[in-house]
Amino acid sequence: MAPRLDFSDWWAKDTRKGTPVVVKMENPNYSVVEIDGPDSAFRPVEKSRGKNAKQVTWVLLLKAHRAVGCLTWLATVFWSLLGAIKKRLSFTHPLGSEKLGRDRWLFTAIKLFLAVSLLILGFEIVAYFRGWHYFQSPNLHIPTSTLEIQSLLHLVYVGWLTLRADYIAPPIKALSTFCIVLFLIQSVDRLILCLGCFWIKYKKIKPRFDEEPFRNDDAEGSGFEYPMVLVQIPMCNEREVYEQSISAVCQLDWPKDRILVQVLDDSNDESIQQLIKAEVAKWSQKGVNIIYRHRLVRTGYKAGNLKSAMSCDYVEAYEYVAIFDADFQPTPDFLKLTVPHFKDNPELGLVQARWTFVNKDENLLTRLQNINLCFHFEVEQQVNGVFLNFFGFNGTAGVWRIKALEESGGWLERTTVEDMDIAVRAHLHGWKFIYLNDVKVLCEVPESYEAYKKQQHRWHSGPMQLFRLCLGSILTSKIAIWKKANLILLFFLLRKLILPFYSFTLFCIILPLTMFVPEAELPVWVICYIPVFMSFLNLLPSPKSFPFIVPYLLFENTMSVTKFNAMVSGLFQLGSSYEWIVTKKAGRSSESDLLSITEKETPNKKSQLLRGVSDSELLELNQLEEQKHAVSKKPVKKTNKIYHKELALAFLLLTAALRSLLAAQGVHFYFLLFQGVTFLLVGLDLIGEQMS
């Protein structure tokens, strides 16, 4: 707008004399405006005077149309959600719901908190409608004299306020302060790990070896002398994945006379045993040095299986052992990328490769798992490997020096994390580890919440078992003091105990309780800013997952229930602390694997393979093929479970959200609302694939 000049005001004074001019438009569709001066057209006009009745009607109709459309959309979403819930719940029986067993203590505690919260919420709603708005500000005057007391209910409510302020709020404040301190310490640790990863990327630090480490001019033939490598594939009832893992291992690029493949089958299903035997026989006919082992006494889970295999007499001829779980598919050059690191490095005991996931984009659950595992390998394992030469063995996709295993005591059956157990004992004996971030092995992540939950329970109860058992050995070992401190304070306490403790206690218990005890209210930066920043750091290794930052944050808080329960069970040997349930696999292969299978397994090659087989073996193989096709064609009924602890916490958080709504707490309300809905979806098993 152009600036007004001074002489316009003087001119306006002279021309304002006389009768005001009224302009009336003949067309009634236009509005009527009175002009009482030459600059009246430049003055702000009231909006209500510039609209006629017809315009107001159209505006109201437009707003009503938008409101109806919004309500229709919300109703459609709500109806679709109810339909999905009904569809999923229709398959609840006969598996019904989660078996609590000896872990009922946590569910009972959550139910108690929920009952108390509902009672207090009803009391607060009555007080709100009676005009007792003391909870809107803890500093308001609370009536004490009998003249200010309106009724018996008012007296009870005032007594509750006094009890809350004097006796309930102080312990909650102390516990929340303790959890916040732990939260900040863990956040600093996470930030330091990320800075270490950035430094590794910036300096391009990674383990290297000579281009031709096995060249030996004195050797006969090609002039290369390869070490003897033992490859082990432990499995148990792995019908979906046994074929692709055996196929991938048998195609490793290594001299056939310098490698032996052990298929360690712990299956208790005879049909699966026969299928695996047939697969081993097929590759044996192709000239692969492969044997099948089945234990008669199946004790010790995976550790017992590996221990039994290492006790064979022929193992003494081998120098290294590579281990792959049943769903892992190493590339042909895996051994040539890992084993050379051992040459001229006698202190090296383990070379660990990275996992990649064939089904990471299958559903929301697999995407969220991929975020966590990418951070684990890209940041935690790589930083600890470069700066400390120590990290937890991942149980698969790694190569051990057999001498390191033997000097460390071999595989022990005392915990469900035999991989972490052997890694800690090897570290205490002075062995060093190397992590290779650029050597990747394809595998699967669980696609159903039930399988993922059981896996996480084992991964978080086992370390606490191990911590109790090996604490004395760590304190009395001869390693440096800073290595002992790293093992106890960082490896075990901070990353295995403190993390599930504060995440569950702070965000699932203390936060909803503070809605009923506003004197102990948590600051916004604790429930919003720092968690979002930490989630941002976790997503850095997988930048394509940034759109899932909010679901990731909410789901991690939801999983804290399972992790906390497992941590307490393992620490105090409660419930199912020593329970091993094989993670359910879908048997998915990469596109290249599927193409290679279709190209290689042609009828002509199959006939060539079976030429050296007897008639009885041929009949058995044909029967097994028919059995495999019959199993694949059989319709599978899918079911899902109801998870009691998650549902109870969902109602607790939603109750707290209603209470925060009365006190007009914006950020707290939205966090509790979304977190409660996330618990509800997980409790009804509406995330991930259904279990067959």
Side-chain angles (χ1 to χ4, degrees):
M1 181 182 293
R4 295 180 57 189
L5 301 179
D6 294 338
F7 64 85
S8 62
D9 294 335
W10 171 79
W11 179 76
K13 293 180 181 179
D14 295 339
T15 57
R16 283 178 185 172
K17 298 178 181 180
T19 305
V21 179
V22 179
V23 180
K24 295 183 179 180
M25 307 299 294
E26 294 181 358
N27 191 344
N29 291 331
Y30 295 92
S31 59
V32 179
V33 181
E34 292 186 1
I35 301 177
D36 58 353
D39 59 344
S40 298
F42 302 98
R43 297 176 185 173
V45 182
E46 297 181 9
K47 293 183 179 180
S48 60
R49 297 183 60 187
K51 297 179 180 178
N52 57 18
K54 192 172 182 180
Q55 289 176 322
V56 172
T57 303
W58 278 107
V59 170
L60 292 177
L61 287 175
L62 181 60
K63 291 183 178 181
H65 177 72
R66 290 178 178 175
V68 171
C70 182
L71 291 176
T72 305
W73 180 81
L74 291 176
T76 304
V77 172
F78 182 71
W79 188 259
S80 301
L81 180 61
L82 288 180
I85 293 175
K86 182 179 179 181
K87 181 179 178 181
R88 296 295 291 264
L89 293 182
S90 62
F91 297 109
T92 298
H93 302 285
L95 292 181
S97 57
E98 177 190 19
K99 294 181 181 179
L100 296 175
R102 297 180 182 178
D103 295 334
R104 296 186 65 91
W105 64 272
L106 182 58
F107 179 55
T108 304
I110 295 173
K111 285 196 301 183
L112 179 61
F113 278 120
L114 176 59
V116 174
S117 300
L118 289 173
L119 181 63
I120 298 175
L121 177 63
F123 203 21
E124 296 284 8
I125 291 176
V126 172
Y128 179 82
F129 286 105
R130 295 237 178 163
W132 308 331
H133 297 164
Y134 309 115
F135 57 80
Q136 290 185 351
S137 176
N139 299 321
L140 288 180
H141 169 67
I142 299 177
T144 55
S145 63
T146 56
L147 298 176
E148 296 177 299
I149 301 299
Q150 302 176 7
S151 62
L152 178 61
L153 184 62
H154 193 195
L155 178 63
V156 174
Y157 183 67
V158 170
W160 154 247
L161 294 180
T162 305
L163 176 67
R164 188 182 73 187
D166 295 339
Y167 299 100
I168 299 179
I172 294 179
K173 283 183 179 179
L175 182 59
S176 62
T177 302
F178 178 67
C179 290
I180 290 173
V181 171
L182 297 180
F183 182 29
L184 294 177
I185 293 174
Q186 197 272 335
S187 301
V188 171
D189 173 65
R190 188 63 55 94
L191 181 61
I192 292 175
L193 286 175
C194 291
L195 293 177
C197 183
F198 286 141
W199 180 257
I200 292 173
K201 298 292 184 183
Y202 176 70
K203 291 293 185 178
K204 298 180 180 179
I205 302 174
K206 68 175 184 178
R208 292 179 173 84
F209 58 86
D210 296 334
E211 293 184 0
E212 296 180 349
F214 302 122
R215 173 174 289 279
N216 187 355
D217 297 334
D218 297 333
E220 299 179 0
S222 61
F224 289 87
E225 186 176 1
Y226 291 88
M228 299 287 286
V229 178
L230 177 68
V231 182
Q232 296 177 334
I233 313 176
M235 57 180 63
C236 180
N237 297 327
E238 306 281 4
R239 182 189 296 272
E240 295 81 8
V241 293
Y242 76 91
E243 191 173 1
Q244 61 195 37
S245 62
I246 295 176
S247 173
V249 168
C250 290
Q251 297 179 58
L252 289 173
D253 185 11
W254 203 256
K256 294 185 181 298
D257 60 333
R258 312 295 291 177
I259 185 174
L260 172 64
V261 179
Q262 283 183 321
V263 179
L264 311 177
D265 182 24
D266 254 4
S267 304
N268 54 9
D269 189 334
E270 292 185 1
S271 63
I272 300 179
Q273 295 177 23
Q274 296 302 321
L275 291 173
I276 298 175
K277 285 181 181 179
E279 185 69 17
V280 171
K282 181 182 77 173
W283 285 101
S284 179
Q285 290 291 327
K286 293 183 178 181
V288 177
N289 192 10
I290 183 172
I291 60 174
Y292 173 86
R293 278 182 56 86
H294 179 75
R295 292 191 299 163
L296 297 178
V297 182
R298 298 171 57 250
T299 58
Y301 302 115
K302 181 180 176 181
N305 197 1
L306 294 173
K307 181 179 180 181
S308 174
M310 294 298 295
S311 64
C312 298
D313 295 335
Y314 54 79
V315 174
E316 297 178 357
Y318 293 86
E319 189 175 356
Y320 308 106
V321 55
I323 303 173
F324 300 100
D325 282 351
D327 60 315
F328 279 71
Q329 305 170 51
T331 55
D333 60 348
F334 176 84
L335 292 178
K336 290 189 174 181
L337 295 176
T338 54
V339 175
H341 289 277
F342 290 97
K343 188 175 179 59
D344 300 328
N345 195 356
E347 295 182 348
L348 183 61
L350 168 67
V351 175
Q352 173 71 58
R354 179 174 178 168
W355 301 359
T356 55
F357 312 103
V358 66
N359 60 338
K360 63 182 180 180
D361 297 325
E362 188 65 26
N363 54 47
L364 178 60
L365 178 61
T366 59
R367 292 177 184 271
L368 299 180
Q369 292 179 70
N370 180 61
I371 295 173
N372 266 339
L373 292 171
C374 282
F375 183 86
H376 170 70
F377 285 104
E378 184 84 16
V379 180
E380 291 180 344
Q381 297 291 76
Q382 186 171 209
V383 171
N384 289 326
V386 169
F387 294 103
L388 302 177
N389 292 122
F390 168 73
F391 47 82
F393 174 46
N394 293 117
T396 178
V399 182
W400 277 94
R401 189 190 297 271
I402 295 181
K403 182 180 178 181
L405 289 177
E406 293 173 347
E407 289 188 359
S408 304
W411 299 103
L412 298 182
E413 307 167 10
R414 56 183 182 173
T415 69
T416 57
V417 283
E418 75 294 327
D419 46 8
M420 185 182 295
D421 189 359
I422 188 63
V424 171
R425 286 185 282 118
H427 182 58
L428 295 179
H429 282 78
W431 292 99
K432 295 181 179 180
F433 303 162
I434 282 180
Y435 172 73
L436 303 178
N437 192 57
D438 53 351
V439 179
K440 301 176 181 180
V441 181
L442 203 63
C443 62
E444 289 186 20
V445 289
E447 295 183 9
S448 69
Y449 178 70
E450 181 183 8
Y452 178 61
K453 183 176 181 179
K454 291 177 180 178
Q455 181 195 69
Q456 292 300 305
H457 187 279
R458 187 177 77 247
W459 285 3
H460 286 81
S461 64
M464 290 298 97
Q465 295 175 351
L466 181 61
F467 179 64
R468 288 188 308 100
L469 295 172
C470 70
L471 179 59
S473 301
I474 295 174
L475 295 175
T476 58
S477 64
K478 297 181 180 180
I479 61 175
I481 296 179
W482 68 270
K483 292 184 178 181
K484 296 181 182 180
N486 173 68
L487 269 177
I488 296 174
L489 299 179
L490 294 181
F491 186 76
F492 279 112
L493 291 182
L494 183 60
R495 296 166 188 166
K496 302 298 187 296
L497 188 148
I498 290 177
L499 178 58
F501 170 76
Y502 85 76
S503 58
F504 171 73
T505 307
L506 188 62
F507 296 108
C508 299
I509 299 297
I510 293 179
L511 178 58
L513 287 183
T514 56
M515 296 299 100
F516 302 96
V517 187
E519 293 85 356
E521 180 181 343
L522 294 176
V524 176
W525 59 269
V526 173
I527 64 175
C528 182
Y529 301 144
I530 293 186
V532 171
F533 179 68
M534 289 296 104
S535 300
F536 175 79
L537 291 181
N538 286 356
L539 267 71
L540 287 179
S542 52
K544 293 183 179 180
S545 301
F546 272 102
F548 302 96
I549 183 171
V550 174
Y552 171 75
L553 173 61
L554 297 174
F555 183 71
E556 281 301 293
N557 290 335
T558 305
M559 284 305 300
S560 65
V561 185
T562 299
K563 296 176 181 179
F564 176 81
N565 184 33
M567 180 268 294
V568 175
S569 299
L571 190 62
F572 299 102
Q573 290 185 302
L574 303 175
S576 56
S577 59
Y578 194 70
E579 180 183 12
W580 183 296
I581 299 177
V582 178
T583 304
K584 184 72 175 177
K585 282 99 174 177
R588 301 188 185 277
S589 300
S590 63
E591 184 177 355
S592 58
D593 294 332
L594 293 175
L595 290 175
S596 63
I597 289 174
T598 55
E599 290 175 358
K600 292 181 180 179
E601 296 188 356
T602 59
N604 294 332
K605 290 189 176 182
K606 183 176 180 181
S607 61
Q608 293 176 2
L609 174 65
L610 298 177
R611 284 178 183 174
V613 182
S614 63
D615 294 339
S616 59
E617 292 177 343
L618 180 60
L619 179 61
E620 183 180 359
L621 289 175
N622 290 333
Q623 290 176 352
L624 291 174
E625 288 293 331
E626 293 177 359
Q627 184 179 0
K628 288 169 62 176
H629 291 300
V631 170
S632 62
K633 293 179 181 179
K634 183 179 179 181
V636 179
K637 182 180 180 181
K638 296 183 178 181
T639 99
N640 65 307
K641 289 189 175 182
I642 300 297
Y643 299 98
H644 299 90
K645 292 189 286 289
E646 285 78 359
L647 282 180
L649 272 170
F651 293 126
L652 174 62
L653 292 169
L654 293 176
T655 303
L658 290 176
R659 175 60 178 79
S660 67
L661 190 61
L662 293 178
Q665 295 170 310
V667 176
H668 297 74
F669 167 74
Y670 288 114
F671 182 86
L672 289 167
L673 176 63
F674 292 132
Q675 191 64 69
V677 171
T678 305
F679 268 105
L680 183 63
L681 296 176
V682 172
L684 295 176
D685 199 11
L686 298 177
I687 182 172
E689 297 294 330
Q690 293 170 308
M691 287 296 296
S692 59

